[in-house]
Amino acid sequence: MKKFIMVVLLLVTTKLLAQTPTTDSAKSKNEVVTVDNVEWGWLNPLRGDKSPAAGKLWGDRTKNEPAGFLVKFKKGFSSPPHIHNITYRGVVIKGLLHNDDENAEKQWLPAGSYWQQPAGEAHITAADAEDNMAFLDIQEGPYLVKPTSEAFDNGEKPVNVDKTNLVWLNANDIEWVSEKSNVETAFLWGSHEKNQLRATLLKLPAGFKGKIKNLSPNFRAVVISGKVTHQFSKKDDVNVLEPGSYFGAEEKASLRLKTDVETVIYIRSNGEFKIK
């Protein structure tokens, strides 16, 4: 009887530990990492150049902390079936990616698409274009690759959303976007309850010139497509941010943004922000 109780407790504890955190206690700061200055290594160092390349944007994926990083896949890459110890979310920046059960028919996600891979869920990842890159967001770490023999169900479900199936809202639908800005947004994950993590895609039209007022202690953004000119203030350096670039902001910071072409930005925050 004692042995049975211990096993049940172990299983319950494992499941609780596997739940993805919904808050982030870290405070972000005003910082910029252009895609040209990303530090690259291997996503799975044990596999060397057989592994996708990984580039740090924020945090450390090898430690128990939130992190954001880029991943590059060679054409024809296909991983063996595996699991991860933690849940991650991804957005395709370049190329075509597939992430699903090993027996599933290929669903090639183009640039601008979104997916979620739950902890413990067996899957493969494959790439089919000449140039493939994605942004991955984790709320805890370390990010590990494990065999399918260690698969488990953490209660979360996998998600694959093609770019064409995203639902975009504008100022007629949401309060925190100025009507004259013509900005659109697509909600991806999380909760809009107080202090809860959430992520959205922000679509800035060509010719946009305005500000994002950050009201959150934790605000991180990654350029997914297009190009945006960024400044923290008129006195600060001007940064030209292309796909794969990252910028963070401290609470109450007002970010000055300008575009010449339509630009999509992934924003992960622990609270609200306003666009004007």
Side-chain angles (χ1 to χ4, degrees):
M1 184 67 174
K2 250 184 210 180
K3 185 175 180 182
F4 174 75
I5 292 173
M6 287 180 69
V7 170
V8 171
L9 285 174
L10 179 61
L11 289 173
V12 171
T13 303
T14 300
K15 185 167 183 178
L16 287 174
L17 289 174
Q19 294 297 310
T20 305
T22 60
T23 60
D24 185 351
S25 60
K27 290 187 177 181
S28 55
K29 59 184 180 180
N30 291 345
E31 60 182 345
V32 172
V33 178
T34 64
V35 70
D36 293 334
N37 293 322
V38 172
E39 298 176 13
W40 291 93
W42 298 115
L43 185 62
N44 185 355
L46 294 177
R47 297 193 72 203
D49 61 5
K50 292 182 180 179
S51 165
K56 175 182 176 180
L57 296 181
W58 75 83
D60 187 339
R61 69 181 186 279
T62 68
K63 297 180 180 178
N64 185 17
E65 63 184 41
F69 50 100
L70 302 174
V71 182
K72 286 183 179 179
F73 303 87
K74 295 178 181 178
K75 179 178 174 60
F77 171 83
S78 185
S79 71
H82 63 282
I83 71 162
H84 297 287
N85 58 313
I86 50 92
T87 294
Y88 76 82
R89 281 102 176 192
V91 180
V92 184
I93 294 178
K94 295 179 183 178
L96 295 168
L97 295 179
H98 166 78
N99 196 84
D100 210 331
D101 178 88
E102 63 176 308
N103 297 315
E105 184 178 345
K106 292 291 191 297
Q107 179 186 350
W108 295 111
L109 296 175
S113 301
Y114 163 76
W115 83 97
Q116 173 178 303
Q117 182 57 51
E121 181 95 7
H123 66 286
I124 66 166
T125 302
D128 195 49
E130 290 296 334
D131 192 8
N132 305 280
M133 184 167 71
F135 158 69
L136 300 191
D137 189 343
I138 63 175
Q139 314 317 321
E140 59 185 334
Y143 175 94
L144 301 176
V145 178
K146 295 190 172 187
T148 56
S149 59
E150 298 184 33
F152 59 91
D153 182 0
N154 79 336
E156 297 172 340
K157 301 300 180 185
V159 175
N160 285 283
V161 183
D162 188 281
K163 174 185 178 180
T164 58
N165 289 328
L166 290 170
V167 177
W168 292 95
L169 306 175
N170 58 31
N172 294 324
D173 309 297
I174 45 183
E175 298 178 351
W176 42 268
V177 173
S178 170
E179 186 172 348
K180 64 181 181 180
S181 69
N182 293 320
V183 169
E184 295 180 86
T185 188
F187 297 105
L188 296 183
W189 59 266
S191 168
H192 282 257
E193 296 296 323
K194 186 176 181 180
N195 298 325
Q196 296 290 294
L197 280 170
R198 76 287 305 262
T200 61
L201 291 179
L202 202 66
K203 187 188 293 183
L204 306 179
F208 173 84
K209 186 177 182 181
K211 296 180 181 178
I212 295 181
K213 174 78 171 181
N214 174 34
L215 305 176
S216 166
N218 192 297
F219 177 101
R220 305 186 186 280
V222 178
V223 179
I224 302 301
S225 65
K227 184 167 66 174
V228 62
T229 300
H230 165 283
Q231 275 182 296
F232 287 109
S233 73
K234 284 185 177 180
K235 297 179 181 179
D236 290 318
D237 293 338
V238 175
N239 301 291
V240 178
L241 305 181
E242 297 183 324
S245 299
Y246 155 71
F247 59 95
E250 61 187 26
E251 191 169 5
K252 297 183 180 179
S254 286
L255 313 175
R256 307 170 70 89
L257 302 177
K258 185 168 65 173
T259 64
D260 293 324
V261 296
E262 183 180 272
T263 300
V264 175
I265 301 173
Y266 175 97
I267 296 181
R268 167 198 184 277
S269 66
N270 225 26
E272 297 180 353
F273 57 89
K274 290 186 177 180
I275 303 165
K276 54 185 180 178

